[in-house]
Amino acid sequence: AKLCVCDLLVAQCDVNCCCDPDCSAADFSLFTTCSVPVVTGDNRLCSQKAAIYSLDVEANPPERIFKLVDQVNPSVFCIHATNYKEALSFSSPRMPTSENFDQLLKEFESATFSAEPDSWNMNTDAQSPSDAKETYRYKYGVPIQTVDAFLRLPSPVVSSWCSDANPAGFLVNQATKCTRSVSVEKCGNIQAVSMLFYINSSILAKLHEFVFQVNITVQSVVVQSLNGMWTLLDSSDVLRLPMILDELCINIVLGVSYHITYTDAGEIIEAAASFVVGAINKEALSIQQSFEISFTQVNTKPVPLSGNPGYVVGLPVRAGFRPQGYPFPVEILFNTNKHGQLTILQSTSNQDCLSAQGARTPVLFGYNMVSGCKLRITAAMKCQPLTQTLLDLLKGQTFPEYVASFGNSQAQDVLDWVPITHFQTSEQRIYNAFQSSCQIPISLEIEVKWTKYGSLVNPQARIVNVTATITTTTLKQLPSGRERTIPITSSVVFTDISSPAEPGYKAWPTINVKLPFDFFFPFV
């Protein structure tokens, strides 16, 4: 039952979830299919038990059929025995820096490390201190516990009406909308439209540990008027409860956004809630509420994703740099612009290059883009400063070194970042401008090659190659008092290299395989 992925509701039967222990024979008789027909443990094990579920629709009433069979993993890479429990969970490794590199090298340079002989004992009856510690840490998807039950994130279940039985799962970012029945006469008695309903219960910092509790603080309160205007209150420490005023019910909750801060040990250390409250008149019979929850690890800066995992068309291409001072790249520093994005020159209304300096626009995945401006050159201009100005105009003050191959690539996953390859070409066209010839850059062309990655049913967009080509041209002497205008352009082209080969062209077969990031943990 712990491995049943379709068991979402607490103490309630999930429709068509044949492995849900809360379902009775009467519930099974109403099912049309088993949404999860096979339940197994870790699919990396060489052999294990598998639970097979099906429905006997010819029976009256229909019945659920359950079988337990032995399943053998045909892969040559499989786990024979899980006798080292600490290897089954992944904790964020310490990142090497110039200060701790010597210490880490001394700790991990030997053939074996951090492996006591007792920890490889096949006898799992006695619970080790690490196992006991593991019991109290939150893991992905586990409902967040409170003093009285769990943190609620209301959502629609069968219809659009709100159900308060949906628990918020740890590290599961969710956003839901549902409809709530209300009336002005009873608004003070409806718990689910009161701010108190969402913050009156403390969260357990650790699973099953009632000693450490985290109170939910109010981060902000926004008041929505009847015509939809929003006003942010100056003070967020005032609890605004529903009340009747001039045939209106004011301060009813229209939206709640939770933000949870946690440690890499799976402990919750902070919880905050932002509210949108509004008013209804006596004609209103229902309201639509929105709920959201997000998570941030302590001492980390949240970075917006552009897909999960593959890029989404229209979202920015993420970019960054390799930090200096390390013996090898261990982390990517995101680009210094907003949210770490790849950018190009932004066109302006007057098309003047010198006034467009600093104006950048993000490169959006899947969108071919062209931008540019016009440069007015006089005989008084110097070659070297002009060349540097145009380079800064085309590439920006800080042109990134790497581009994220996936929309959710993390900074510490260096292999998930693609280096940008630079080229330079020269144009045959010659402009008269300077006494001696001068090479100036006039265009930047970025080509992003991407491929469809993963399942054919739900392919994910992955960037595999990025090139940046600077085209230069030669300027020669311009008579005194004369001027010349030269166009400066930037362009981005996205090329799908996963398209099938043309007829008559024999291409080598390709295989896209990516092991789980912790497959060889703790070894790199």
Side-chain angles (χ1 to χ4, degrees):
K2 293 181 180 179
L3 302 175
C4 184
V5 295
C6 58
D7 182 11
L8 304 178
L9 299 177
V10 177
Q12 292 187 42
C13 176
D14 291 83
V15 178
N16 289 340
C17 184
C18 295
C19 54
D20 190 345
D22 299 318
C23 296
S24 62
D27 296 322
F28 293 135
S29 66
L30 301 176
F31 286 6
T32 58
T33 184
C34 289
S35 59
V36 180
V38 181
V39 176
T40 60
D42 194 330
N43 57 10
R44 295 175 295 179
L45 293 175
C46 296
S47 62
Q48 60 180 320
K49 296 288 185 182
I52 310 296
Y53 296 95
S54 61
L55 290 177
D56 183 5
V57 294
E58 295 181 356
N60 190 15
E63 298 176 346
R64 182 195 70 171
I65 301 175
F66 167 75
K67 290 190 295 184
L68 199 63
V69 299
D70 292 316
Q71 189 177 67
V72 178
N73 187 352
S75 174
V76 294
F77 294 107
C78 62
I79 300 173
H80 177 66
T82 56
N83 53 1
Y84 184 41
K85 296 296 184 183
E86 285 139 4
L88 297 180
S89 60
F90 178 78
S91 57
S92 299
R94 286 174 289 173
M95 290 298 176
T97 63
S98 55
E99 289 79 17
N100 67 359
F101 181 77
D102 293 335
Q103 176 191 349
L104 293 177
L105 183 63
K106 188 181 298 182
E107 182 179 347
F108 295 103
E109 66 181 349
S110 60
T112 60
F113 49 86
S114 300
E116 296 293 334
D118 293 340
S119 65
W120 295 86
N121 191 353
M122 292 291 291
N123 181 17
T124 58
D125 293 337
Q127 190 180 35
S128 64
S130 62
D131 291 337
K133 184 179 179 180
E134 196 74 16
T135 306
Y136 298 107
R137 63 176 293 181
Y138 280 102
K139 295 183 181 180
Y140 178 86
V142 174
I144 298 176
Q145 292 186 345
T146 59
V147 176
D148 53 358
F150 51 82
L151 184 63
R152 304 179 184 90
L153 197 72
S155 66
V157 180
V158 178
S159 63
S160 62
W161 297 102
C162 294
S163 170
D164 297 324
N166 179 46
F170 184 65
L171 296 186
V172 181
N173 293 332
Q174 296 185 64
T176 63
K177 288 184 179 180
C178 55
T179 305
R180 182 89 59 182
S181 177
V182 295
S183 67
V184 172
E185 296 79 10
K186 300 179 181 178
C187 75
N189 300 323
I190 304 175
Q191 289 186 333
V193 298
S194 171
M195 289 176 57
L196 196 61
F197 180 72
Y198 302 97
I199 61 172
N200 64 349
S201 186
S202 299
I203 294 175
L204 302 188
K206 299 179 180 180
L207 276 177
H208 315 301
E209 276 276 1
F210 287 83
V211 178
F212 303 103
Q213 300 176 8
V214 177
N215 294 326
I216 303 176
T217 59
V218 178
Q219 192 172 41
S220 64
V221 179
V222 172
V223 177
Q224 177 177 307
S225 64
L226 288 174
N227 59 5
M229 294 290 293
W230 281 21
T231 303
L232 177 64
L233 297 184
D234 295 333
S235 177
S236 60
D237 57 356
V238 178
L239 191 64
R240 302 175 72 92
L241 299 178
M243 58 183 295
I244 299 176
L245 180 66
D246 296 333
E247 296 186 348
L248 295 177
C249 180
I250 63 173
N251 299 333
I252 64 170
V253 173
L254 300 177
V256 184
S257 178
Y258 291 109
H259 187 77
I260 308 296
T261 305
Y262 66 97
T263 67
D264 57 358
E267 179 181 350
I268 295 175
I269 60 173
E270 189 177 330
S274 300
F275 289 90
V276 176
V277 298
I280 59 170
N281 52 33
K282 59 182 180 180
E283 285 81 17
L285 301 177
S286 64
I287 59 171
Q288 186 180 65
Q289 293 180 307
S290 60
F291 302 92
E292 187 177 351
I293 186 168
S294 59
F295 297 83
T296 300
Q297 186 173 331
V298 66
N299 297 328
T300 61
K301 183 180 178 180
V303 178
L305 303 182
S306 294
N308 189 23
Y311 274 98
V312 175
V313 174
L315 294 184
V317 174
R318 305 167 69 223
F321 302 88
R322 186 179 72 181
Q324 302 299 321
Y326 293 123
F328 46 84
V330 295
E331 187 176 17
I332 298 295
L333 297 180
F334 289 104
N335 204 355
T336 52
N337 62 34
K338 185 181 179 182
H339 304 325
Q341 301 165 352
L342 181 65
T343 63
I344 63 170
L345 168 68
Q346 181 177 358
S347 298
T348 58
S349 57
N350 57 11
Q351 292 290 299
D352 184 3
C353 288
L354 298 181
S355 65
Q357 284 184 287
R360 312 289 294 175
T361 186
V363 174
L364 305 180
F365 182 82
Y367 285 9
N368 295 338
M369 306 169 66
V370 178
S371 63
C373 58
K374 294 180 180 179
L375 177 66
R376 186 170 56 88
I377 298 178
T378 62
M381 288 184 173
K382 303 295 182 182
C383 176
Q384 188 63 32
L386 179 61
T387 301
Q388 188 60 47
T389 299
L390 289 177
L391 276 177
D392 293 342
L393 182 70
L394 290 171
K395 302 176 69 174
Q397 294 293 329
T398 52
F399 194 76
E401 300 173 348
Y402 289 84
V403 164
S405 59
F406 291 99
N408 68 344
S409 296
Q410 299 299 310
Q412 62 268 23
D413 299 332
V414 180
L415 296 179
D416 265 0
W417 292 76
V418 178
I420 299 176
T421 305
H422 295 268
F423 295 102
Q424 184 168 328
T425 62
S426 181
E427 218 180 42
Q428 296 299 322
R429 196 169 21 172
I430 297 177
Y431 293 98
N432 293 324
F434 294 93
Q435 294 181 357
S436 58
S437 63
C438 175
Q439 290 279 340
I440 64 167
I442 59 171
S443 71
L444 169 65
E445 300 172 2
I446 300 176
E447 183 182 19
V448 181
K449 294 181 179 179
W450 64 279
T451 182
K452 297 182 179 72
Y453 178 89
S455 168
L456 293 175
V457 178
N458 184 26
Q460 303 293 308
R462 174 191 184 187
I463 293 176
V464 294
N465 182 265
V466 180
T467 58
T469 304
I470 291 285
T471 301
T472 62
T473 192
T474 303
L475 294 181
K476 287 192 174 181
Q477 183 178 3
L478 185 70
S480 178
R482 298 287 299 274
E483 295 182 354
R484 186 174 295 276
T485 301
I486 297 177
I488 306 297
T489 60
S490 291
S491 64
V492 180
V493 175
F494 286 85
T495 305
D496 181 4
I497 62 173
S498 60
S499 302
E502 295 293 331
Y505 176 79
K506 186 176 180 181
W508 289 100
T510 59
I511 301 175
N512 283 332
V513 177
K514 184 178 180 183
L515 292 173
F517 71 98
D518 60 343
F519 189 88
F520 294 106
F521 181 79
F523 305 102
V524 178

